[in-house]
Each structure stands twice: as C-alpha cells, then as structure tokens.
Amino acid sequence: GAVVSQHPSRVICKSGTSVKIECRSLDFQATTMFWYRQFPKQSLMLMATSNEGSKATYEQGVEKDKFLINHASLTLSTLTVTSAHPEDSSFYICSARGLVADTQYFGPGTRLTVL
Amino acid sequence: QKEVEQNSGPLSVPEGAIASLNCTYSDRGSQSFFWYRQYSGKSPELIMFIYSNGDKEDGRFTAQLNKASQYVSLLIRDSQPSDSATYLCAVPDDYKLSFGAGTTVTVRA
C-alpha cells in the first residue's frame, strides 16, 4: 500500500521550454501532496505544498509563476516548470500525505536536465 | 521551523555489525518521528515511524524514542552492504515534515 508514482522519470528539454511532471497516489487518496527539489549531494528542499481543490502553498524563495502546481483530484498533482533554464536542472520528487498521522510517501522522482 | 539535527557521517560499519544513528529535535511537543532511507540517486523511502517512548522493532531495524531527552535513534542490526544509504530523520512541522540533513551509512563487506 501507499504507492506514489511519478511521470516521467527522466526528461531532457531545451532551455525556454516547459515541462510537466505528474505525481499520482495509486492506492490511496491524498488531499495533500508535496513537491521537493534535490541537487546532487544536498538535502531535500521543499518547494510547495499542494492541496486538492485549492491553491498551492509555496515555500519562501520559490517562484510560483515559474513552478506551476495543480492538484485537480485526490490522486493527481502536477508540477509544471515553465521557461526552464539550465539552473532548473535537478531531481524533483513528490510525496503524498498518508492516512496515518503525518506520514509522507515519496514518488520515485523525476530527473530534469535542461540544455 | 522545527530543527532536526543528525550527524552527517559518514558512518562506516563492517558487515554484520550494528549501525547506530541518532537524531535530536528542538520541539518538545513533537509527537511522531519518522526514519527514511535514501539510496544515492533515488527518492526517500519510509522505513519506520514511532510515536511512543521506548523501542519499536521491525525486522533488523529498531527505532528508539526518548521524548524527555528529545532524541530518536535508529539501530540497524546485522548490517548488510545493501543498507549503505543516507538515513533521514523527520518530525512533523505543522502540515509539513522537517528533515534532518541525513546520516550517510557505508557498510563494508
């Protein structure tokens, strides 16, 4: 139980294009999902909290117009990196809040490379 | 933001030994605690959570919680090379989780 999927697992795009990443909770409903970014050998950095049916809450320093988050259903949240630049290249990981207290279950991550 | 402190390591242990990881937290009111394992290049995986003082065992893993001293530890018994990873401690912080920086464990064959 508590399986979270992400798609795509890896994406390479040209600078200036937009990339959409999907995060799905496969066997449970998640009213809250989270988006993280992780650079090599660094800690997880929370970017935003996604709540079903409402606007996402962004962490300080994260541009909401650049990282668009949509949580349209109880099992799907999407992150769109708009006008991607090489410095956006990173490992993007989503998680879904489980039914037991504050547990978070992570997706496998999406490795984004912007050329 | 709630603070979570971990020794960054690396912690190197021989195969078959016990790996002991420690985590301290700042908020005395914290009620639940989580341990995640993250292999290099992969996403974190929940391995244990604990709410009550004392020990909680799951296979080769034992989580130990001492709320009075504000620390939670993770013991890995009979360490295997496959246990080589970074282990993250986390506590709830409002609707989020506050993570420690992680302890990197290397199990020597």
Side-chain angles (χ1 to χ4, degrees), chain B residues 41-61:
Chain B
K42 303 295 185 182
S43 65
E45 171 191 12
L46 179 67
I47 54 174
M48 287 198 74
F49 56 87
I50 186 168
Y51 303 116
S52 303
N53 271 328
D55 296 359
K56 179 181 179 182
E57 188 174 315
D58 184 358
R60 295 186 295 109
F61 297 99

Side-chain angles (χ1 to χ4, degrees), chain B residues 70-84:
Chain B
Q70 294 179 238
Y71 81 78
V72 56
S73 61
L74 180 70
L75 301 179
I76 308 173
R77 293 184 303 281
D78 187 24
S79 296
Q80 301 297 310
S82 59
D83 296 324
S84 298

Side-chain angles (χ1 to χ4, degrees), chain A residues 34 38 49 103-104 107 111, chain B residues 34 36 38 41 43 51 95-96:
Chain A
F34 303 88
Q38 189 173 37
T49 302
T103 52
Q104 285 188 30
R111 195 162 302 281
Chain B
F34 304 89
Y36 288 85
Q38 186 174 23
S43 65
Y51 303 116
Y95 54 87
K96 304 176 287 188

Side-chain angles (χ1 to χ4, degrees), chain A residues 32 34 36 38 43-44 46 49 57 59 91 93 97 100-109 111, chain B residues 1 32 34 36 38 40-46 49 51 88 92 94-97 99-102:
Chain A
T32 304
F34 303 88
Y36 295 82
Q38 189 173 37
S43 300
L44 287 171
L46 179 65
T49 302
T57 302
E59 295 299 301
F91 191 40
I93 313 171
R97 188 173 179 178
V100 178
D102 299 297
T103 52
Q104 285 188 30
Y105 298 95
F106 285 85
R111 195 162 302 281
Chain B
Q1 183 171 339
S32 53
F34 304 89
Y36 288 85
Q38 186 174 23
S40 180
K42 303 295 185 182
S43 65
E45 171 191 12
L46 179 67
F49 56 87
Y51 303 116
L88 304 168
D94 197 4
Y95 54 87
K96 304 176 287 188
L97 285 178
F99 287 89

Side-chain angles (χ1 to χ4, degrees), chain A residues 30-46:
Chain A
T31 56
T32 304
M33 292 183 173
F34 303 88
W35 287 96
Y36 295 82
R37 181 165 58 179
Q38 189 173 37
F39 293 105
K41 299 191 184 302
Q42 293 189 20
S43 300
L44 287 171
M45 188 196 82
L46 179 65

